[in-house]
Amino acid sequence: MTRVTRTTACLAGAGLTLGLLAAPATASSAPADPVTTLLGSLLGESSSSDGSQPAARQRSSYGRTSAPDGTLRSGCHNYRYGYRLRPPTSDWTLETFLRDRTGEGIASGVFISDSDPRAQHSHFRFCRYSTRAGRFTIRALMHWYGPTGAEHQVWLEPSHFRLSRPS
């Protein structure tokens, strides 16, 4: 067995074992296994004493993006958009992606809790010669980090705006 194969096999075995140990207990009247509860909490999973799962949070409750309709001007310009976040922790990162009417990515942005507020306006910069008027979509991926450093992520609901041709 080569070194890479051996390492891969060890990692796969460890992942399988950890996955089996951290599997949620079946719903019953008996309390959850303490080892499973401990491993679940270390992995960022929450549980209650009756083994039931907490209610899932809607992705729209984590935040939103928005942009006003406008005119696609000649040349290269900044087009305003904004975001408002409600992350579960104060350590987060937001990635924004602008897609044109064909679905092609034309601009992006990144915001980090260390230097950016939870709500602000920013700008996408793109040029008229490389895109056409129509409906644009903002997609946003929010990451947040728990107290143990565990990373979580959620795609926010996409938002849309229109840029029309100049009259």
Side-chain angles (χ1 to χ4, degrees), residues 20-147:
L20 292 174
L21 288 175
T26 57
S28 67
S29 59
D33 175 53
V35 174
T36 303
T37 303
L38 175 62
L39 284 173
S41 66
L42 290 174
L43 295 172
E45 298 173 2
S46 58
S47 62
S48 59
S49 61
D50 65 358
S52 65
Q53 294 291 332
R57 188 171 167 185
Q58 297 292 323
R59 70 179 175 160
S60 61
S61 72
Y62 288 97
R64 65 182 180 87
T65 60
S66 63
D69 291 341
T71 302
L72 183 60
R73 298 173 283 168
S74 63
C76 299
H77 293 278
N78 291 331
Y79 294 89
R80 184 178 163 130
Y81 75 101
Y83 68 84
R84 181 173 303 278
L85 302 177
R86 291 179 295 283
T89 68
S90 61
D91 190 8
W92 54 268
T93 303
L94 179 69
E95 299 174 79
T96 58
F97 308 94
L98 180 63
R99 301 217 175 264
D100 67 8
R101 65 188 186 127
T102 66
E104 185 175 337
I106 59 172
S108 62
V110 175
F111 305 93
I112 301 170
S113 60
D114 292 340
S115 58
D116 295 301
R118 290 181 183 217
Q120 81 170 340
H121 288 100
S122 188
H123 297 90
F124 286 125
R125 183 169 183 84
F126 57 95
C127 304
R128 181 170 154 186
Y129 66 81
S130 64
T131 191
R132 292 180 166 215
R135 182 178 184 222
F136 292 79
T137 301
I138 302 172
R139 303 261 344 240
L141 178 62
M142 183 177 68
H143 303 261
W144 71 92
Y145 309 91

Side-chain angles (χ1 to χ4, degrees), residues 1-12:
M1 213 185 241
T2 68
R3 185 178 186 145
V4 172
T5 307
R6 199 172 346 167
T7 304
T8 304
C10 288
L11 290 172

